[in-house]
């Protein structure tokens, strides 16, 4: 059973389009995250939700909008895609926010042409 | 601002040749330091959390240690299946949430 699952695994789209990535976790965790990994493999946090409440919102263009319908799901919607949005997006979850480890999904590779 | 620097960027070892990976960090108050392993096309896989200087943790051929400025991941008698990118991350005490700052990783290749 996959603990943190993301769909789709690959996403190829054109500039200007709008796309969504979905994430689900079955670990019973209450905190979920979106991280972006660039071409140099650098992982940077974008957003975090705890019990459906947004608690971390890094300096991310407002074209990116996360949504957490419940504790087990966190989606990421991206409007007006740009070339620079091409990256691998990872969803993660943890139990609480006090130093517990994050468990990551296998990523969504977004390519904007 | 929190910073994590990992070295070397890449490391090639022969099977059985032990070595260490370094993670130097700057954080105003460390809540935890995390080690992850990432295989190509996969998400980071959690290995260890270290909370205070002097702490050590072991798992199979891996041993992580922590000082006030750096952490080491020691790999004893590595096997080809240990080949992966190893990532280090820090979580500060301050601020809300569980925000991790990652290094750019050490890409390890173990050859027969």
């Amino acid at each position: 059973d996959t603990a943190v699952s993301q769909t789709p695994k690959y996403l190829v789209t054109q500039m200007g389009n709008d796309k969504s990535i979905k994430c689900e976790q079955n670990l019973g965790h209450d905190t979920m995250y979106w991280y972006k990994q660039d071409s140099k493999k650098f992982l940077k946090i974008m957003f975090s939700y705890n019990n459906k409440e947004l608690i971390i919102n890094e300096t991310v263009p407002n074209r990116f909008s996360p949504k957490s319908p419940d504790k087990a799901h966190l989606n990421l919607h991206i409007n007006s895609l740009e070339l620079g949005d091409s990256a691998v997006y990872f969803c993660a979850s943890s139990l609480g926010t006090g130093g517990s480890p994050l468990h990551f999904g296998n990523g969504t590779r977004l390519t904007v042409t | 601002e929190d910073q994590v620097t990992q070295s070397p960027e890449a490391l090639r070892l022969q099977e059985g040749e032990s070595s260490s990976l370094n993670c130097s960090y700057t954080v105003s108050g460390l809540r935890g330091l995390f080690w992850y392993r990432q295989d190509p096309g996969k998400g980071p896989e959690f290995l260890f959390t270290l909370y205070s200087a002097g702490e050590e943790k072991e798992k199979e051929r891996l041993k992580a240690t922590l000082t006030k400025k750096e952490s080491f991941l020691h790999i004893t008698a590595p096997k080809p299946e240990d080949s992966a990118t190893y990532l280090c991350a820090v979580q500060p005490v301050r601020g809300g949430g569980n925000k991790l700052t990652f290094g750019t990783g050490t890409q390890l290749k173990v050859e027969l």
Side-chain angles (χ1 to χ4, degrees):
Chain A
D1 243 1
T2 306
V4 181
S5 58
Q6 300 178 225
T7 53
K9 186 166 174 64
Y10 299 97
L11 191 49
V12 181
T13 189
Q14 291 185 326
M15 281 175 55
N17 285 348
D18 304 338
K19 290 293 177 187
S20 291
I21 307 172
K22 296 190 174 191
C23 178
E24 176 181 3
Q25 55 94 3
N26 64 4
L27 295 168
H29 290 167
D30 55 1
T31 308
M32 296 186 74
Y33 312 78
W34 281 113
Y35 274 79
K36 178 180 180 180
Q37 189 170 47
D38 62 23
S39 56
K40 294 184 179 178
K41 306 296 184 188
F42 182 60
L43 261 173
K44 187 169 170 58
I45 190 166
M46 299 172 70
F47 303 103
S48 175
Y49 273 78
N50 175 255
N51 283 316
K52 303 193 297 174
E53 182 186 344
L54 182 66
I55 56 171
I56 295 176
N57 184 354
E58 289 294 283
T59 310
V60 176
N62 57 16
R63 297 181 295 103
F64 290 79
S65 51
K67 277 207 175 86
S68 181
D70 56 56
K71 287 196 302 185
H73 295 85
L74 180 62
N75 303 322
L76 183 65
H77 188 76
I78 316 171
N79 289 326
S80 304
L81 278 155
E82 300 178 357
L83 292 176
D85 297 332
S86 296
V88 182
Y89 293 85
F90 286 99
C91 176
S93 71
S94 69
L95 189 61
T97 59
S100 55
L102 274 60
H103 296 262
F104 286 84
N106 283 326
T108 295
R109 181 174 291 278
L110 172 65
T111 303
V112 182
T113 60
Chain B
E1 191 179 322
D2 305 332
Q3 281 196 326
V4 177
T5 304
Q6 291 187 247
S7 61
E9 284 186 22
L11 181 61
R12 252 187 148 112
L13 298 173
Q14 294 296 311
E15 185 175 12
E17 180 188 0
S18 301
S19 188
S20 296
L21 313 183
N22 177 263
C23 170
S24 297
Y25 64 90
T26 309
V27 64
S28 54
L30 179 72
R31 185 191 295 275
L33 183 140
F34 299 81
W35 281 100
Y36 284 84
R37 168 193 171 126
Q38 187 173 20
D39 292 295
K42 302 280 187 181
E45 177 189 343
F46 171 69
L47 294 174
F48 304 108
T49 310
L50 300 165
Y51 294 104
S52 56
E55 191 175 357
E56 298 183 353
K57 292 216 174 139
E58 278 188 76
K59 181 180 178 180
E60 297 179 359
R61 295 176 292 283
L62 300 177
K63 179 176 163 182
T65 62
L66 180 65
T67 73
K68 288 187 178 178
K69 292 183 180 178
E70 57 191 350
S71 176
F72 290 94
L73 186 64
H74 306 277
I75 304 178
T76 303
K79 298 183 177 182
E81 53 261 42
D82 294 323
S83 298
T85 296
Y86 290 85
L87 298 168
C88 171
V90 296
Q91 185 195 16
V93 170
R94 75 178 187 288
N98 202 3
K99 179 181 170 183
L100 298 187
T101 298
F102 280 85
T104 49
T106 293
Q107 194 171 352
L108 173 66
K109 180 141 175 78
V110 182
E111 297 169 331
L112 289 169

